[in-house]
Amino acid sequence: MMLKRPSDDRGFAEFGGWLKSYHTFSFSDYYDPRFMGFRDLRVINQDWIGKDSGFPAHPHKDMEIITYVLKGSVEHRDSLGNVGTIHAGEIQTMHAGTGVRHAEYNPSKTDDLQLFQIWIMPDTNGVAPGYTQQSFRREEKLNTMRLMVSKNGREDSQKIHQDVDLYASILEPGKTLEFKLRPERAVWVQLAEGELEINGEILKSGDGMAIQDESLLKMKANKETEFLFFDLH
């Protein structure tokens, strides 16, 4: 089964001229009973945040929250005392656990910020909240899939409280990858930009796809393509 989620079918919200957000799954005021998440993947929001703007402090609880910066940089502050700036290509993982408040802000006076914010439901509630940040160079993702997040932190990836492997890739035109699905696993692919062919199906910028009951995925970039790849139990 391969179910495409076209970019233009996503939910959309715009606030105050500083935020444009596309929702792959139901989120906030956007509700679609067909798209409440996929397995343990609950939220994929692709956000454009204007210069010198951002989200004020707000609470989260019992969720694994991942921020992947596509363009620009985001300034993070939270109630645990963490302060950091996450640049393009970097990832931030926050374990909301028993509760945490955080703020995200575009500190640039000249450039917009673009990012994916991802929520994954944890396998254990009530854990101690935590925060980590890591940089992944373009060369680590180029024409391969770089593991960024996993349950056990293997291959120098970020640990989360769920059996999900999250990869990032940048494929040059004409380059190919293959991925073998483990039994009873599923995949969600989310394009940032580009054009990717998966087993004959075409995904373009902003498109996503749910994949299960497939044994082998053959992927080819028709133009330079950046995408996220979730291997879900």
Side-chain angles (χ1 to χ4, degrees), residues 62-66 94-96 118-120 122 159-161:
D62 288 328
M63 194 66 69
E64 303 292 287
I65 299 173
I66 299 165
M94 188 171 71
H95 318 295
I118 299 149
W119 294 7
I120 294 173
K159 283 186 178 182
I160 60 168
H161 298 284

Side-chain angles (χ1 to χ4, degrees), residues 94-111:
M94 188 171 71
H95 318 295
T98 55
V100 66
R101 293 177 62 85
H102 77 140
E104 295 173 306
Y105 195 79
N106 177 5
S108 175
K109 305 294 184 183
T110 57
D111 298 321

Side-chain angles (χ1 to χ4, degrees), residues 47 49 53-55 66-77 83-92 102-108 111-117 131 133:
D47 294 340
I49 300 171
S53 302
F55 297 96
I66 299 165
T67 301
Y68 181 68
V69 181
L70 297 165
K71 295 179 181 178
S73 60
V74 57
E75 183 180 281
H76 168 94
R77 295 177 180 269
V83 177
T85 301
I86 305 101
H87 302 282
E90 295 186 340
I91 190 170
Q92 168 201 289
H102 77 140
E104 295 173 306
Y105 195 79
N106 177 5
S108 175
D111 298 321
D112 289 347
L113 162 66
Q114 185 185 162
L115 57 82
F116 279 122
Q117 185 167 100
Y131 167 92
Q133 178 181 334

Side-chain angles (χ1 to χ4, degrees), residues 100-151:
V100 66
R101 293 177 62 85
H102 77 140
E104 295 173 306
Y105 195 79
N106 177 5
S108 175
K109 305 294 184 183
T110 57
D111 298 321
D112 289 347
L113 162 66
Q114 185 185 162
L115 57 82
F116 279 122
Q117 185 167 100
I118 299 149
W119 294 7
I120 294 173
M121 294 182 290
D123 56 16
T124 304
N125 288 336
V127 302
Y131 167 92
T132 53
Q133 178 181 334
Q134 190 170 347
S135 176
F136 294 91
R137 294 175 293 107
R138 172 184 168 88
E139 291 74 20
E140 295 180 74
K141 298 174 283 187
L142 190 62
N143 300 323
T144 188
M145 294 203 307
R146 175 60 163 97
L147 183 65
M148 298 193 300
V149 169
S150 66
K151 182 173 176 62

Side-chain angles (χ1 to χ4, degrees), residues 148-218:
M148 298 193 300
V149 169
S150 66
K151 182 173 176 62
N152 58 11
R154 70 187 189 280
E155 299 176 25
D156 191 31
S157 61
Q158 301 268 284
K159 283 186 178 182
I160 60 168
H161 298 284
Q162 186 53 267
D163 184 11
V164 172
D165 292 340
L166 168 58
Y167 299 85
S169 181
I170 299 172
L171 273 188
E172 295 176 312
K175 296 295 185 179
T176 62
L177 293 171
E178 291 188 356
F179 185 86
K180 293 182 179 180
L181 274 73
R182 291 172 282 171
E184 300 183 1
R185 303 283 292 189
V187 162
W188 184 276
V189 178
Q190 185 66 46
L191 260 66
E193 58 184 3
E195 184 174 307
L196 186 69
E197 184 174 342
I198 306 178
N199 289 7
E201 296 286 336
I202 300 293
L203 298 181
K204 297 184 178 182
S205 299
D207 291 349
M209 179 175 280
I211 304 170
Q212 54 191 8
D213 301 322
E214 299 280 338
S215 57
L216 179 65
L217 301 182
K218 295 184 177 182

